């Protein structure tokens, strides 16, 4: 999980080839509000969290022209002032068996403070951060045939019940 902010060395980040570049960066930042991408499908957020996100304060995002890799999945786009942009605020990329998450801005801690000040809870910010970490840390099961059983061993005359899942390469 990468967090890009005002003190990030973007040239070092680009050398990692994580699927995001920011052109025309002059070392300045934008106040970028999170705007949920309704086409995001890697995980889902509860309706309550979706509503609370609109009240989160902005992150300090590097100014510039964002270019995300074609396979990037964008969770939040940047809303700068009243303008919704197609620039990602939080996105995910993957290569082979390696997944990466990129938060294009610093100040996620403000989300938790603001949410607590308004609701005496941090459920929405906890859900967002937990889902990000769970997605990045979960290993993908790429087997095309999965056999699932509630038991590991069976008696000789016992009926054996199991479920199977078959997937196509697509």
């Amino acid at each position: 999980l990468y967090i890009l902010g005002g003190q990030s060395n973007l040239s070092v980040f680009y050398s990692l080839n994580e699927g995001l570049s920011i052109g025309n960066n002059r070392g300045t930042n934008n106040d970028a509000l999170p705007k949920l991408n309704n086409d995001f499908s890697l995980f889902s957020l509860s309706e309550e969290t979706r509503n609370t996100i609109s009240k989160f304060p902005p992150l300090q995002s590097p100014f510039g022209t964002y270019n995300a890799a074609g396979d990037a999945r964008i969770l939040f786009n940047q809303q700068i002032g009243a303008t919704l942009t197609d620039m990602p605020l939080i996105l995910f990329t993957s290569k082979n068996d390696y997944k990466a998450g990129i938060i294009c801005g610093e100040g996620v801690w403000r989300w938790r403070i603001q949410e607590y000040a308004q609701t005496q809870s941090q459920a929405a910010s906890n859900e967002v951060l937990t889902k990000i970490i769970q997605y990045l840390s979960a290993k993908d099961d790429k087997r095309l045939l999965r056999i699932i059983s509630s038991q590991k061993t069976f008696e000789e005359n016992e009926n054996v019940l199991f479920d199977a899942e078959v997937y196509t390469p697509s």
Side-chain angles (χ1 to χ4, degrees):
L1 178 63
Y2 299 95
I3 300 175
L4 303 179
Q7 296 183 16
S8 297
N9 186 335
L10 293 179
S11 60
V12 171
F13 175 72
Y14 300 150
S15 71
L16 299 173
N17 197 24
E18 292 297 342
L20 177 73
S21 64
I22 305 171
N24 301 323
N25 180 267
R26 299 183 189 111
T28 59
N29 294 319
N30 281 329
D31 286 339
L33 295 165
K35 186 65 174 173
L36 185 65
N37 176 8
N38 291 323
D39 295 331
F40 183 76
S41 61
L42 296 177
F43 54 82
S44 61
L45 298 172
S46 69
E47 191 62 36
E48 184 176 323
T49 296
R50 290 170 169 255
N51 293 332
T52 304
I53 288 166
S54 65
K55 300 172 189 145
F56 282 174
L59 298 182
Q60 299 295 305
S61 296
F63 173 84
T65 306
Y66 286 65
N67 270 328
D71 65 342
R73 306 282 189 237
I74 299 172
L75 173 61
F76 296 130
N77 285 311
Q78 294 184 27
Q79 180 177 330
I80 300 172
T83 305
L84 176 61
T85 71
D86 61 353
M87 298 186 298
L89 186 62
I90 298 180
L91 71 149
F92 301 93
T93 61
S94 63
K95 343 178 228 194
N96 302 329
D97 292 333
Y98 174 79
K99 296 184 274 189
I102 305 167
I103 300 176
C104 303
E106 58 189 36
V108 172
W109 56 271
R110 289 184 188 104
W111 291 359
R112 297 175 55 76
I113 291 172
Q114 177 79 15
E115 182 183 8
Y116 190 81
Q118 292 178 347
T119 66
Q120 278 58 57
S121 168
Q122 295 174 326
S125 53
N126 283 346
E127 181 180 350
V128 170
L129 296 172
T130 300
K131 296 270 178 114
I132 288 171
I133 299 304
Q134 285 175 340
Y135 169 74
L136 292 174
S137 62
K139 289 193 174 197
D140 291 335
D141 188 350
K142 298 187 184 227
R143 295 175 297 161
L144 298 180
L145 174 64
R146 300 176 195 164
I147 299 175
I148 303 145
S149 174
S150 60
Q151 297 176 225
K152 297 288 184 203
T153 60
F154 303 92
E155 296 297 323
E156 184 176 329
N157 295 328
E158 183 179 0
N159 289 335
V160 177
L161 298 173
F162 60 89
D163 291 317
E165 298 174 353
V166 179
Y167 297 90
T168 65
S170 63

